[in-house]
CSV table of all heavy atoms in Angstrom, one decimal:
chain,number,residue,atom,x,y,z
Q,23,LYS,N,13.2,22.2,-18.7
Q,23,LYS,CA,13.8,23.5,-19.1
Q,23,LYS,C,15.1,23.8,-18.4
Q,23,LYS,O,16.1,24.2,-19.0
Q,23,LYS,CB,12.7,24.6,-18.8
Q,23,LYS,CG,13.2,26.0,-19.3
Q,23,LYS,CD,12.1,27.0,-19.1
Q,23,LYS,CE,12.1,27.6,-17.7
Q,23,LYS,NZ,11.2,28.7,-17.5
Q,24,TYR,N,15.1,23.6,-17.1
Q,24,TYR,CA,16.3,23.9,-16.3
Q,24,TYR,C,17.5,23.0,-16.8
Q,24,TYR,O,18.6,23.5,-17.0
Q,24,TYR,CB,16.1,23.6,-14.8
Q,24,TYR,CG,17.3,23.7,-14.0
Q,24,TYR,CD1,17.8,25.0,-13.6
Q,24,TYR,CD2,18.1,22.6,-13.6
Q,24,TYR,CE1,19.0,25.1,-12.9
Q,24,TYR,CE2,19.2,22.7,-12.9
Q,24,TYR,CZ,19.7,23.9,-12.5
Q,24,TYR,OH,20.8,24.0,-11.8
Q,25,VAL,N,17.3,21.7,-17.0
Q,25,VAL,CA,18.3,20.8,-17.4
Q,25,VAL,C,18.8,21.1,-18.8
Q,25,VAL,O,20.0,21.1,-19.1
Q,25,VAL,CB,17.9,19.3,-17.3
Q,25,VAL,CG1,18.9,18.4,-17.9
Q,25,VAL,CG2,17.6,19.0,-15.8
Q,26,ILE,N,17.9,21.4,-19.7
Q,26,ILE,CA,18.3,21.8,-21.1
Q,26,ILE,C,19.2,23.0,-21.0
Q,26,ILE,O,20.3,23.1,-21.7
Q,26,ILE,CB,17.1,22.1,-22.0
Q,26,ILE,CG1,16.4,20.8,-22.3
Q,26,ILE,CG2,17.5,22.9,-23.2
Q,26,ILE,CD1,15.1,21.0,-23.0
Q,27,ILE,N,18.9,24.0,-20.2
Q,27,ILE,CA,19.7,25.2,-20.1
Q,27,ILE,C,21.0,25.0,-19.5
Q,27,ILE,O,22.1,25.5,-20.0
Q,27,ILE,CB,18.9,26.3,-19.3
Q,27,ILE,CG1,17.7,26.8,-20.2
Q,27,ILE,CG2,19.8,27.5,-19.0
Q,27,ILE,CD1,16.7,27.6,-19.4
Q,28,GLU,N,21.1,24.1,-18.5
Q,28,GLU,CA,22.3,23.9,-17.8
Q,28,GLU,C,23.3,22.9,-18.4
Q,28,GLU,O,24.5,22.9,-18.1
Q,28,GLU,CB,22.0,23.5,-16.3
Q,28,GLU,CG,21.3,24.6,-15.5
Q,28,GLU,CD,22.2,25.8,-15.4
Q,28,GLU,OE1,23.4,25.7,-15.2
Q,28,GLU,OE2,21.6,26.9,-15.5
Q,29,CYS,N,22.8,22.0,-19.2
Q,29,CYS,CA,23.6,21.0,-19.8
Q,29,CYS,C,24.5,21.6,-20.9
Q,29,CYS,O,24.1,22.5,-21.6
Q,29,CYS,CB,22.8,19.9,-20.5
Q,29,CYS,SG,22.2,18.7,-19.3
Q,30,HIS,N,25.7,21.0,-21.0
Q,30,HIS,CA,26.6,21.4,-22.0
Q,30,HIS,C,26.3,20.7,-23.3
Q,30,HIS,O,26.7,21.2,-24.4
Q,30,HIS,CB,28.1,21.1,-21.6
Q,30,HIS,CG,28.5,21.8,-20.4
Q,30,HIS,ND1,28.7,23.2,-20.3
Q,30,HIS,CD2,28.7,21.4,-19.1
Q,30,HIS,CE1,29.0,23.5,-19.1
Q,30,HIS,NE2,29.0,22.4,-18.3
Q,31,ASN,N,25.7,19.6,-23.3
Q,31,ASN,CA,25.4,18.8,-24.4
Q,31,ASN,C,23.9,18.3,-24.3
Q,31,ASN,O,23.6,17.6,-23.4
Q,31,ASN,CB,26.3,17.6,-24.6
Q,31,ASN,CG,26.1,16.8,-25.8
Q,31,ASN,OD1,25.0,16.7,-26.4
Q,31,ASN,ND2,27.2,16.2,-26.3
Q,32,ILE,N,23.1,18.7,-25.3
Q,32,ILE,CA,21.7,18.4,-25.2
Q,32,ILE,C,21.4,16.9,-25.2
Q,32,ILE,O,20.4,16.4,-24.7
Q,32,ILE,CB,20.9,19.1,-26.4
Q,32,ILE,CG1,19.4,19.1,-26.2
Q,32,ILE,CG2,21.2,18.3,-27.7
Q,32,ILE,CD1,19.0,20.3,-25.4
Q,33,ASN,N,22.3,16.1,-25.7
Q,33,ASN,CA,22.2,14.6,-25.7
Q,33,ASN,C,22.2,14.1,-24.3
Q,33,ASN,O,21.7,12.9,-24.1
Q,33,ASN,CB,23.3,14.0,-26.5
Q,33,ASN,CG,23.1,14.3,-28.0
Q,33,ASN,OD1,22.1,14.2,-28.6
Q,33,ASN,ND2,24.2,14.7,-28.6
Q,34,ASP,N,22.7,14.8,-23.3
Q,34,ASP,CA,22.8,14.4,-21.9
Q,34,ASP,C,21.5,14.7,-21.2
Q,34,ASP,O,21.3,14.2,-20.1
Q,34,ASP,CB,23.9,15.0,-21.2
Q,34,ASP,CG,25.2,14.7,-21.9
Q,34,ASP,OD1,25.4,13.7,-22.5
Q,34,ASP,OD2,26.1,15.6,-21.9
Q,35,THR,N,20.6,15.4,-21.7
Q,35,THR,CA,19.4,15.9,-21.0
Q,35,THR,C,18.5,14.8,-20.5
Q,35,THR,O,18.2,14.8,-19.3
Q,35,THR,CB,18.6,16.8,-21.9
Q,35,THR,OG1,19.4,17.9,-22.3
Q,35,THR,CG2,17.4,17.4,-21.2
Q,36,GLN,N,18.2,13.8,-21.4
Q,36,GLN,CA,17.3,12.8,-20.9
Q,36,GLN,C,17.9,11.9,-19.8
Q,36,GLN,O,17.2,11.5,-18.9
Q,36,GLN,CB,16.8,11.9,-22.1
Q,36,GLN,CG,15.9,12.6,-23.0
Q,36,GLN,CD,14.6,13.1,-22.3
Q,36,GLN,OE1,14.1,12.5,-21.4
Q,36,GLN,NE2,14.1,14.2,-22.8
Q,37,ASP,N,19.2,11.6,-19.9
Q,37,ASP,CA,19.8,10.8,-18.9
Q,37,ASP,C,19.8,11.6,-17.5
Q,37,ASP,O,19.5,10.9,-16.5
Q,37,ASP,CB,21.3,10.6,-19.2
Q,37,ASP,CG,21.5,9.6,-20.4
Q,37,ASP,OD1,20.5,8.8,-20.6
Q,37,ASP,OD2,22.5,9.6,-21.0
Q,38,ILE,N,20.0,12.8,-17.5
Q,38,ILE,CA,20.0,13.6,-16.3
Q,38,ILE,C,18.6,13.7,-15.7
Q,38,ILE,O,18.4,13.5,-14.5
Q,38,ILE,CB,20.7,15.0,-16.5
Q,38,ILE,CG1,22.2,14.8,-16.8
Q,38,ILE,CG2,20.4,15.9,-15.3
Q,38,ILE,CD1,22.9,16.0,-17.2
Q,39,ILE,N,17.6,13.9,-16.6
Q,39,ILE,CA,16.2,13.9,-16.1
Q,39,ILE,C,15.8,12.6,-15.5
Q,39,ILE,O,15.3,12.5,-14.4
Q,39,ILE,CB,15.3,14.3,-17.3
Q,39,ILE,CG1,15.4,15.7,-17.8
Q,39,ILE,CG2,13.8,14.0,-16.9
Q,39,ILE,CD1,14.9,16.8,-16.9
Q,40,GLN,N,16.2,11.5,-16.2
Q,40,GLN,CA,15.9,10.2,-15.7
Q,40,GLN,C,16.6,9.9,-14.4
Q,40,GLN,O,15.9,9.4,-13.5
Q,40,GLN,CB,16.3,9.2,-16.8
Q,40,GLN,CG,16.0,7.7,-16.4
Q,40,GLN,CD,16.4,6.8,-17.5
Q,40,GLN,OE1,16.8,7.1,-18.5
Q,40,GLN,NE2,16.3,5.5,-17.2
Q,41,ASP,N,17.8,10.3,-14.3
Q,41,ASP,CA,18.6,10.1,-13.0
Q,41,ASP,C,18.0,10.9,-11.9
Q,41,ASP,O,17.9,10.4,-10.7
Q,41,ASP,CB,20.0,10.4,-13.2
Q,41,ASP,CG,20.8,9.4,-14.1
Q,41,ASP,OD1,20.3,8.3,-14.3
Q,41,ASP,OD2,21.9,9.8,-14.5
Q,42,THR,N,17.5,12.1,-12.2
Q,42,THR,CA,16.9,13.0,-11.2
Q,42,THR,C,15.6,12.4,-10.6
Q,42,THR,O,15.4,12.3,-9.4
Q,42,THR,CB,16.7,14.4,-11.8
Q,42,THR,OG1,17.9,14.9,-12.2
Q,42,THR,CG2,16.0,15.3,-10.7
Q,43,TYR,N,14.8,11.9,-11.5
Q,43,TYR,CA,13.5,11.3,-11.1
Q,43,TYR,C,13.7,10.0,-10.4
Q,43,TYR,O,12.9,9.6,-9.5
Q,43,TYR,CB,12.5,11.3,-12.2
Q,43,TYR,CG,11.8,12.6,-12.5
Q,43,TYR,CD1,12.1,13.3,-13.7
Q,43,TYR,CD2,11.0,13.2,-11.5
Q,43,TYR,CE1,11.5,14.6,-13.9
Q,43,TYR,CE2,10.4,14.4,-11.7
Q,43,TYR,CZ,10.6,15.1,-12.9
Q,43,TYR,OH,10.0,16.3,-13.1
Q,44,LEU,N,14.7,9.2,-10.9
Q,44,LEU,CA,15.0,8.0,-10.2
Q,44,LEU,C,15.4,8.2,-8.8
Q,44,LEU,O,15.0,7.5,-7.8
Q,44,LEU,CB,16.1,7.2,-11.0
Q,44,LEU,CG,16.5,5.9,-10.4
Q,44,LEU,CD1,15.4,4.9,-10.3
Q,44,LEU,CD2,17.7,5.3,-11.2
Q,45,GLU,N,16.3,9.2,-8.6
Q,45,GLU,CA,16.7,9.6,-7.2
Q,45,GLU,C,15.5,10.0,-6.4
Q,45,GLU,O,15.4,9.7,-5.2
Q,45,GLU,CB,17.8,10.6,-7.2
Q,45,GLU,CG,18.3,10.9,-5.8
Q,45,GLU,CD,19.6,11.7,-5.8
Q,45,GLU,OE1,20.4,11.5,-6.7
Q,45,GLU,OE2,19.8,12.4,-4.8
Q,46,LEU,N,14.6,10.8,-7.0
Q,46,LEU,CA,13.4,11.2,-6.3
Q,46,LEU,C,12.6,10.0,-5.9
Q,46,LEU,O,12.1,9.9,-4.7
Q,46,LEU,CB,12.5,12.1,-7.2
Q,46,LEU,CG,11.1,12.4,-6.6
Q,46,LEU,CD1,11.3,13.3,-5.3
Q,46,LEU,CD2,10.3,13.1,-7.6
Q,47,TRP,N,12.4,9.0,-6.7
Q,47,TRP,CA,11.7,7.8,-6.4
Q,47,TRP,C,12.3,7.1,-5.2
Q,47,TRP,O,11.6,6.6,-4.3
Q,47,TRP,CB,11.6,6.9,-7.7
Q,47,TRP,CG,11.0,5.5,-7.4
Q,47,TRP,CD1,11.6,4.3,-7.3
Q,47,TRP,CD2,9.6,5.3,-7.1
Q,47,TRP,NE1,10.8,3.4,-7.0
Q,47,TRP,CE2,9.5,3.9,-6.9
Q,47,TRP,CE3,8.5,6.1,-7.1
Q,47,TRP,CZ2,8.3,3.3,-6.6
Q,47,TRP,CZ3,7.3,5.5,-6.8
Q,47,TRP,CH2,7.2,4.1,-6.6
Q,48,ASN,N,13.7,6.9,-5.3
Q,48,ASN,CA,14.4,6.3,-4.2
Q,48,ASN,C,14.2,7.0,-2.9
Q,48,ASN,O,14.0,6.4,-1.8
Q,48,ASN,CB,15.8,6.1,-4.5
Q,48,ASN,CG,16.1,5.1,-5.6
Q,48,ASN,OD1,15.3,4.2,-5.8
Q,48,ASN,ND2,17.2,5.3,-6.3
Q,49,ILE,N,14.2,8.3,-2.9
Q,49,ILE,CA,14.0,9.1,-1.7
Q,49,ILE,C,12.5,9.0,-1.2
Q,49,ILE,O,12.3,8.8,0.0
Q,49,ILE,CB,14.3,10.6,-2.0
Q,49,ILE,CG1,15.8,10.8,-2.2
Q,49,ILE,CG2,13.8,11.5,-0.8
Q,49,ILE,CD1,16.2,12.2,-2.7
Q,50,LEU,N,11.6,9.0,-2.1
Q,50,LEU,CA,10.2,8.8,-1.7
Q,50,LEU,C,9.9,7.5,-1.0
Q,50,LEU,O,9.1,7.3,-0.1
Q,50,LEU,CB,9.2,8.9,-2.9
Q,50,LEU,CG,8.9,10.3,-3.4
Q,50,LEU,CD1,8.1,10.2,-4.7
Q,50,LEU,CD2,8.2,11.1,-2.4
Side-chain angles (χ1 to χ4, degrees):
K23 182 173 85 170
Y24 175 80
V25 172
I26 286 172
I27 290 166
E28 294 299 319
C29 280
H30 300 288
N31 186 328
I32 199 87
N33 293 312
D34 302 329
T35 302
Q36 288 302 328
D37 290 338
I38 292 169
I39 292 285
Q40 181 178 354
D41 290 347
T42 301
Y43 280 112
L44 179 61
E45 186 166 328
L46 172 67
W47 174 253
N48 291 333
I49 291 169
L50 283 174

